[in-house]
Amino acid sequence: MTRIAVLLLACTTALPGCGALLSEGTGAAAGIGSASLAEAVGASAAATTGIGIGVQAGARAGLQYAQRRTQRTAQLQLAATAGPLEVGQVAPWSVDHTIPLQPDEAGEVAVTRRISAGTLDCKEIVFSVVAPESRRFYTATICRDEATWRWASAEPATERWGSLQ
């Protein structure tokens, strides 16, 4: 069973665009591996099932955490690129992920308006993500937190970030 889990993990990390396969594969491999181990040491069927389900849930939660961190990296890179721009300016942006859970991305970002009052300093941005045969556009809001620009949108695009924002 361990060879299958390692093979599944190797295949899914080689395909960074296959999030669903990675999610299901991680949970299934963890569940099968832990249930096999519990059965091998003589645990009852109920204990084996419980251990398998618990480890599977933990593996999925760990993967979702890693996916959120990957998406946060892209959001912070966009905010850092757009922060110094004035309204109407456009700049290229890109992110190279160290863990291949998401593909590396690039495009352009433009500041469309500034929103400020008192110590609140925010900007509305439009950014593109260029794929091999398409270009998609999204909007978001970034705000300055002292010297650092941060992502401030609660829900930039479900299509883009999914439920893991």
Side-chain angles (χ1 to χ4, degrees), residues 15-30:
L15 304 170
C18 299
L21 177 61
L22 183 58
S23 178
E24 291 303 315
T26 300

Side-chain angles (χ1 to χ4, degrees), residues 2-163:
T2 340
R3 285 188 214 166
I4 294 172
V6 170
L7 181 61
L8 181 61
L9 182 61
C11 289
T12 55
T13 56
L15 304 170
C18 299
L21 177 61
L22 183 58
S23 178
E24 291 303 315
T26 300
I32 290 168
S34 63
S36 297
L37 180 61
E39 188 176 341
V41 297
S44 70
T48 299
T49 301
I51 291 168
I53 290 171
V55 170
Q56 183 179 29
R60 279 191 182 152
L63 176 62
Q64 288 175 343
Y65 172 78
Q67 288 174 325
R68 281 191 304 272
R69 298 286 297 177
T70 300
Q71 291 168 345
R72 183 173 181 256
T73 299
Q75 292 169 344
L76 290 173
Q77 183 60 43
L78 274 159
T81 302
L85 300 177
E86 294 299 324
V87 173
Q89 286 186 303
V90 179
W93 75 276
S94 66
V95 64
D96 297 322
H97 297 293
T98 54
I99 300 173
L101 293 175
Q102 299 286 332
D104 293 340
E105 298 173 303
E108 293 180 311
V109 60
V111 175
T112 56
R113 91 178 148 142
R114 187 171 206 128
I115 309 160
S116 34
T119 60
L120 182 65
D121 190 16
C122 299
K123 295 178 181 181
E124 184 177 73
I125 62 171
V126 174
F127 65 97
S128 66
V129 177
V130 179
E133 295 184 20
S134 68
R135 185 174 175 188
R136 294 199 170 141
F137 296 91
Y138 305 93
T139 62
T141 304
I142 61 171
C143 294
R144 187 189 328 241
D145 180 14
E146 295 182 17
T148 305
W149 286 92
R150 300 194 186 277
W151 197 261
S153 296
E155 189 66 34
T158 303
E159 177 187 333
R160 175 159 176 72
W161 303 113
S163 61

